[in-house]
Amino acid sequence: MIIAAGINMEIEKTGHSRLNEKDWRALPFGSVFADHMLEMHYEDGIWQAPRIVPFGPVPMLPSISALHYGQTIFEGMKAYRDVAGRSLLFRPKDHLARLNKSAERLCMPAIPEDVFIKSLEQLIKLDEAWVPSDADSALYLRPIYFATDPFIGVKVSTTYSLYILTCPVHKFYTKPVNVWVERNHARAAEGGVGYVKTAGNYARSMLSGKKAKEQGYDVVLWLDATHRRFVEEFSTMNAFFVIDDFVVTPRLSSTILAGITRDTIIHLLREQGIQVFEREVSIDELHDASQRGLLKEAFGSGTAAVVMPVASLTHEGRLMQLLDPATWQIMNTVAPKLAAIRAGQEPDAHNWIHYIDV
Ligand SMILES: *Cc1c(COP(=O)(O)O)cnc(C)c1O
C-alpha cells in the first residue's frame, strides 16, 4: 500500500493484472473493467480519504437507502490518448460540476474538485496501460455515487459512497439507428429530475426501449411530457437536427440532461460559422422539413458514442427517412474536428483537455 503524493490517499495495487487475460479489444461496451477502481466514502459529515483498490465486489447491506429510494447518481466521461501517446481526460471538471449539480438536486453532499481530479489522475496513471491508443477507442470512466444509510424510511442519507470504475471501450454504434418517437410515456416532467444523471431516469425509459426494440427500432426519442409535441432527447443522448442550412437542438430545461458533448458540438459548430439554434423543436416541424426534403441530418450526442447518426424517425406511423449519413456535411465536419482536438492535432482553444501529469 502506498500513499500518493499531493492528497491524502491510499493505493492498494492488484497482485494480478487482468490486462493480458482477455482479448478486451473484442468485447462489448461496458463489460470489461480495468484492474483498479477508486472509492471514497462520506461519513461523519465529511469525505474520507479516497482509496484506489483492485476492481471487485463491494460490501453493502440490502437496507441501503439508494436501493430503496433511488438517491443515486452517476457520470460518464472518457480518458483518451493523444497522437503522442499521452493520456488525457476530456472536460473532467465539467463532468464533476454536473455530478455536483445532480448531487444538489438529490440532497447529496458535493464532491471537492481537487480531491476528485487528483484521485482520478492517480487512477488513470495506475491503469494507464488500459487506456487504448486507437482513435475510435477510449477508457470510459463511470463515477457512481449513492446513499448508504442502512435504514428503511424516506429521509436524506447521512452516509454515501463514490466509486469510479473504468472500462476500455470501442466505437459504440456501428451503423445509423432507426428511431422510435415515444408518444405514450414521458421521460421527464418540468420541475422533476430529467436534468439529473440519476438511475430512475433510465429505469423509466426501459419499457419504451424494450417496445421499440420489439418493433425493430434501435433507439427512443422522447417528447415533452405536457404536449407530447416538442422533442427533448434520446434516452442517453442529446438530439441535433440539420434543417436546410441551420442546426437546431432542443433548448436546455429541467427535463433535459445538459450533455457536455452537446455543449462541445455547439461551440465547434458556431466557430465554423454554422448557425445553431437552441430552441423548441416540434415533431411536426421535423416531419414538415422531412416532407419538403429539408431534414438533412439528425444525430445524437453523448460521451459514449460521441455522435450517433439517425437513419429514420418514426412518429405515430409517420416515417421520416434520412439520407445516407456518409453524405452529411455537418456531422461529418464536427465529429472529426472534435476527434482532432482530442488527439492533440488541433489547438484546444477551450481548455477541454486535461493531461494526466502525475
Ligand atoms: C449522459 C447523458 C447525455 C449525454 O451527456 P454527455 O455529457 O454528452 O455524455 C444525454 N442525455 C442523457 C439522458 C444522459 O444521461
Side-chain angles (χ1 to χ4, degrees):
M1 200 171 288
I2 58 166
I3 308 292
I7 50 163
N8 181 17
M9 83 177 297
E10 283 178 4
I11 300 179
E12 183 192 328
K13 287 189 187 173
T14 180
H16 176 73
S17 171
R18 289 175 285 102
L19 188 61
N20 298 314
E21 253 173 36
K22 311 187 195 180
D23 179 17
W24 51 264
R25 303 198 146 262
L27 287 167
F29 196 97
S31 61
V32 172
F33 295 87
D35 284 330
H36 298 91
M37 64 183 182
L38 186 118
E39 64 172 314
M40 187 161 82
H41 304 286
Y42 185 88
E43 287 161 22
D44 304 325
I46 52 165
W47 283 104
Q48 309 295 313
R51 283 160 45 85
I52 290 174
V53 296
F55 175 81
V58 296
M60 125 185 346
L61 291 167
S63 52
I64 65 166
S65 52
L67 295 177
H68 300 256
Y69 308 112
Q71 215 188 348
T72 173
I73 57 179
F74 67 93
E75 263 305 316
M77 56 179 144
K78 278 179 171 172
Y80 299 89
R81 280 183 200 267
D82 71 4
V83 279
R86 291 169 76 195
S87 351
L88 58 95
L89 290 160
F90 191 70
R91 304 187 69 174
K93 291 181 180 171
D94 296 310
H95 282 279
L96 177 65
R98 187 171 66 191
L99 186 63
N100 280 336
K101 202 170 157 200
S102 294
E104 186 179 17
R105 178 66 177 81
L106 298 196
C107 299
M108 301 164 73
I111 297 166
E113 188 184 88
D114 58 336
V115 178
F116 183 84
I117 298 291
K118 283 183 176 155
S119 48
L120 194 50
E121 286 178 339
Q122 293 288 338
L123 179 67
I124 311 283
K125 191 76 202 164
L126 185 61
D127 279 339
E128 198 163 23
W130 290 82
V131 184
S133 47
D134 58 301
D136 279 337
S137 303
L139 189 69
Y140 184 78
L141 313 175
R142 168 51 58 87
I144 168 84
Y145 170 19
F146 55 93
T148 55
D149 275 5
F151 172 80
I152 290 186
V154 178
K155 72 166 181 66
V156 174
S157 188
T158 59
T159 59
Y160 296 89
S161 291
L162 167 76
Y163 290 88
I164 303 180
L165 317 178
T166 71
C167 354
V169 296
H170 302 298
K171 232 182 156 102
F172 199 82
Y173 294 97
T174 47
K175 62 177 184 55
V177 295
N178 290 303
V179 173
W180 189 58
V181 184
E182 172 62 273
R183 60 174 296 274
N184 294 315
H185 295 159
R187 193 191 84 95
E190 263 174 56
V193 295
Y195 71 98
V196 177
K197 233 172 158 69
T198 184
N201 285 337
Y202 307 87
R204 71 194 291 172
S205 75
M206 285 181 189
L207 183 58
S208 301
K210 181 169 167 261
K211 284 187 181 156
K213 290 232 159 74
E214 283 165 5
Q215 296 171 69
Y217 300 96
D218 305 299
V219 170
V220 173
L221 182 67
W222 296 93
L223 301 178
D224 74 287
T226 314
H227 312 93
R228 301 295 153 82
R229 231 184 106 204
F230 299 104
V231 171
E232 298 225 304
E233 59 175 313
F234 301 104
S235 295
T236 62
M237 301 183 92
N238 296 110
F240 284 86
F241 303 96
V242 179
I243 299 177
D244 202 1
D245 60 354
F246 63 86
V247 178
V248 60
T249 184
R251 182 196 302 127
L252 294 179
S253 70
S254 65
T255 61
I256 293 179
L257 201 291
I260 288 163
T261 317
R262 173 188 181 278
D263 181 73
T264 302
I265 287 176
I266 291 173
H267 273 96
L268 295 179
L269 289 173
R270 287 187 176 147
E271 281 161 23
Q272 286 167 64
I274 297 163
Q275 257 195 325
V276 184
F277 298 102
E278 298 176 71
R279 61 158 167 82
E280 286 178 333
V281 191
S282 75
I283 196 71
D284 292 330
E285 177 183 0
L286 295 181
H287 187 249
D288 185 57
S290 170
Q291 292 229 298
R292 294 193 290 137
L294 296 177
L295 184 60
K296 304 259 171 77
E297 304 180 22
F299 58 91
S301 74
T303 295
V306 187
V307 293
M308 172 191 75
V310 170
S312 72
L313 298 152
T314 303
H315 175 246
E316 296 195 32
R318 296 187 299 187
L319 176 70
M320 295 164 244
Q321 193 83 48
L322 280 291
L323 291 178
D324 180 354
T327 66
W328 297 358
Q329 298 248 312
I330 288 181
M331 189 194 78
N332 291 325
T333 310
V334 78
K337 176 93 187 168
L338 171 52
I341 294 171
R342 256 183 2 228
Q345 291 165 309
E346 289 210 22
D348 173 28
H350 299 276
N351 259 319
W352 285 331
I353 303 241
H354 182 101
Y355 280 105
I356 311 288
D357 285 321
V358 291

